[in-house]
Amino acid sequence: MNRDAEATRRRLLRAATEEFAAYGIAGARVDRIAAAAQSNKAQIYHYFGSKDGLFDAVFDAMCRETVDAVPIDAADLPEYAGRLFDSYERRPWVQRLATWYRLERAGSGTLIPVLLESNAAKIEAVAAAQRGGLLPTRFSAEELLGLILHLSGFWSANTPEFDARLAGEGAERRRKVVVDAVAALVAG
């Protein structure tokens, strides 16, 4: 019985990930999520309490997966940015979910613990590398990390009109641009 409940919960999270990535929180429909998960709306409310609770569970799981899969290496921030880029290429819904989160949750006062903890650890790793002379100090650790995070997601944040100008750029070249940009940023 417990295995079936866990399987249902996983199916709901998978279906909700696709739905929220496509439509955001406001546009997502629990009936479509339930149908895609071969479940029912009552199960969504049972496991997650509400559509917002389901989004929070999806976003939390996505954040944890990214943090676990792409640990920071303050001694090699260009390659860290490249690995983040790789992660976004493999999981394009990550940047879409993050965009919906920023659009629909900004100013809500709700902060996600896994992101707070992860950001604090990354900032401390960068700060320690700066104190050790491995990284330049022209930017604070917070600023440097923010720039690196944004550079790693650069390609997924462009408008279609800008992307059209770069139509011939393959994933290998896009990754190289990210890595080279971060290398230039952290060059002493």
Side-chain angles (χ1 to χ4, degrees):
M1 180 78 164
N2 189 27
R3 233 183 295 169
D4 289 341
E6 223 11 75
T8 299
R9 190 175 190 287
R10 281 193 309 274
R11 284 194 320 273
L12 287 168
L13 285 170
R14 268 194 308 276
T17 297
E18 291 178 20
E19 180 78 8
F20 288 127
Y23 301 104
I25 302 167
R29 299 289 175 255
V30 292
D31 55 334
R32 286 192 302 241
I33 295 169
Q38 300 175 328
S39 186
N40 59 60
K41 293 192 296 189
Q43 292 292 50
I44 292 171
Y45 297 109
H46 170 73
Y47 289 115
F48 306 102
S50 65
K51 181 168 74 167
D52 283 343
L54 178 56
F55 179 84
D56 291 345
V58 164
F59 200 75
D60 183 80
M62 179 207 62
C63 292
R64 289 180 189 283
E65 184 179 327
T66 302
V67 166
D68 291 345
V70 190
I72 192 166
D73 180 358
D76 191 357
L77 290 176
E79 184 54 29
Y80 168 67
R83 288 184 290 112
L84 273 175
F85 168 84
D86 295 341
S87 173
Y88 300 149
E89 285 287 298
R90 283 190 308 276
R91 303 173 319 138
W93 63 89
V94 169
Q95 289 290 33
R96 289 194 301 270
L97 285 173
T99 298
W100 286 116
Y101 176 77
R102 286 188 303 271
L103 289 171
E104 298 189 70
R105 289 287 174 86
S108 71
T110 303
L111 299 176
I112 298 177
V114 67
L115 287 178
L116 291 170
E117 294 162 15
S118 171
N119 287 334
K122 289 174 189 172
I123 289 165
E124 178 48 39
V126 170
Q130 286 176 317
R131 287 190 302 270
L134 294 174
L135 293 173
T137 57
R138 70 177 160 255
F139 299 109
S140 70
E142 293 85 354
E143 292 165 341
L144 186 55
L145 178 63
L147 289 166
I148 291 163
L149 294 176
H150 283 283
L151 284 169
S152 68
F154 167 75
W155 295 103
S156 57
N158 291 327
T159 62
E161 294 78 11
F162 188 78
D163 283 344
R165 300 285 303 182
L166 303 164
E169 302 293 332
E172 187 177 314
R173 173 68 182 152
R174 291 191 310 268
R175 186 188 202 280
K176 181 172 178 7
V177 168
V178 167
V179 170
D180 289 352
V182 173
L185 183 65
V186 299

